[in-house]
Amino acid sequence: GEECISAAELKNLILSKGRGRDGDGDGPDIRLYDGFEPSGRMHIAQGVYKSINVNKCTAEGTNATFCFWVADWFALMNDKMGGDLDKIIVVGQYLIEVWKAAGMDLSHVEFRWASDEITGQAHVYWPLVLDVARRFNVTRIKKCCQIMGRLEGSLTAAQVLYPLMQCSDVFFLKADVCQLGVDQRKVNMLAREYCDASKKKFKPVILSHHMLYGLKKGQEKMSKSDPDSAIFME
């Protein structure tokens, strides 16, 4: 990883739920979370690198479950695949199959589709989103919008809603650890700030991984939208 916020909290989490847990193994596992937009081809940063990280996090003895949030509605809000939800769902299914082929061990992995979960538990999800929304001003939320690769001046109303929902996902999925790239740091920090604002005792640990540099000079990460910047899984 590139950054851990905070190391002391992660240690306590491991001692209470992970390898350091006493007893016969009963009790809740550590829950790690990552979300992904089904938005096109998968490059090696998302395919190989993520498979390695997931396998490390869920290896035998870790007492950990990795929850992938298949963010199909988020891809729709971000106008991916031309805003066609049917195509977005097909891409999501494709990405899961690529991870299987890349050697990701799925024995302690969940794939939960945003559209299904939010629709099925709307009475839980939307009050949480509203509670997050009322605790932050628009300026703070817009600072998080780089997670979508968007500039503040070009945002649609749906894209302003995006960080509020992503922050809410952490609590909706009962995540102990946010295991995403450093490019998602701002919204992960928003989740920790929400804990302060709402008087939640336990904050999610942020365990951020490096971004693989793009192939072009000066690129900080590979991009699906620029075929010359990435090595794709196929």
Side-chain angles (χ1 to χ4, degrees):
E2 181 163 319
E3 181 181 44
C4 177
I5 304 174
S6 73
E9 292 172 10
L10 180 59
K11 180 180 179 180
N12 289 337
L13 182 63
I14 292 171
L15 290 174
S16 62
K17 288 187 175 183
R19 291 182 184 274
R21 184 171 65 190
D22 294 328
D24 58 6
D26 291 335
D29 290 351
I30 295 174
R31 289 188 60 81
L32 301 101
Y33 141 84
D34 189 3
F36 67 93
E37 285 186 10
S39 58
R41 300 161 68 193
M42 181 184 283
H43 52 56
I44 60 171
Q46 187 179 16
V48 175
Y49 198 16
K50 194 66 196 182
S51 296
I52 292 171
N53 284 341
V54 169
N55 289 349
K56 285 180 179 179
C57 291
T58 61
E60 185 177 355
T62 58
N63 297 320
T65 298
F66 205 105
C67 178
F68 276 108
W69 187 238
V70 189
D72 48 357
W73 273 8
F74 292 75
L76 182 63
M77 286 190 289
N78 209 6
D79 201 31
K80 297 298 177 66
M81 307 306 295
D84 187 325
L85 186 59
D86 290 334
K87 290 181 180 178
I88 290 169
I89 290 172
V90 170
V91 172
Q93 294 166 340
Y94 151 76
L95 296 179
I96 293 170
E97 293 303 316
V98 174
W99 272 320
K100 290 179 183 177
M104 184 183 288
D105 182 354
L106 301 184
S107 55
H108 296 286
V109 173
E110 301 173 357
F111 290 99
R112 296 175 65 176
W113 292 75
S115 55
D116 292 338
E117 296 289 338
I118 294 172
T119 301
Q121 300 188 65
H123 64 292
V124 176
Y125 188 82
W126 291 115
L128 179 56
V129 174
L130 290 174
D131 194 51
V132 172
R134 73 186 184 88
R135 296 181 189 275
F136 299 100
N137 60 38
V138 174
T139 301
R140 177 64 184 91
I141 297 305
K142 288 170 72 175
K143 288 180 179 178
C144 295
C145 289
Q146 71 175 41
I147 60 177
M148 300 175 288
R150 304 287 181 178
L151 299 175
E152 288 188 24
S154 63
L155 297 171
T156 65
Q159 288 163 348
V160 174
L161 183 61
Y162 191 117
L164 296 171
M165 291 174 66
Q166 184 172 333
C167 176
S168 302
D169 295 341
V170 176
F171 305 99
F172 180 71
L173 297 171
K174 297 179 171 59
D176 299 302
V177 179
C178 299
Q179 207 289 290
L180 297 91
V182 291
D183 59 334
Q184 304 295 304
R185 186 183 190 279
K186 287 187 177 181
V187 75
N188 288 336
M189 289 302 297
L190 186 73
R192 289 177 63 88
E193 291 172 24
Y194 171 69
C195 291
D196 291 331
S198 61
K199 304 293 191 295
K200 289 183 179 293
K201 183 178 180 180
F202 296 106
K203 299 178 182 179
V205 173
I206 302 174
L207 191 59
S208 301
H209 59 253
H210 302 286
M211 308 302 294
L212 286 186
Y213 291 114
L215 300 180
K216 290 183 176 179
K217 184 177 180 180
Q219 284 187 324
E220 294 184 354
K221 65 175 184 176
M222 293 186 179
S223 172
K224 297 177 185 177
S225 60
D226 184 355
D228 294 329
S229 80
I231 301 171
F232 291 94
M233 291 296 291
E234 67 270 17

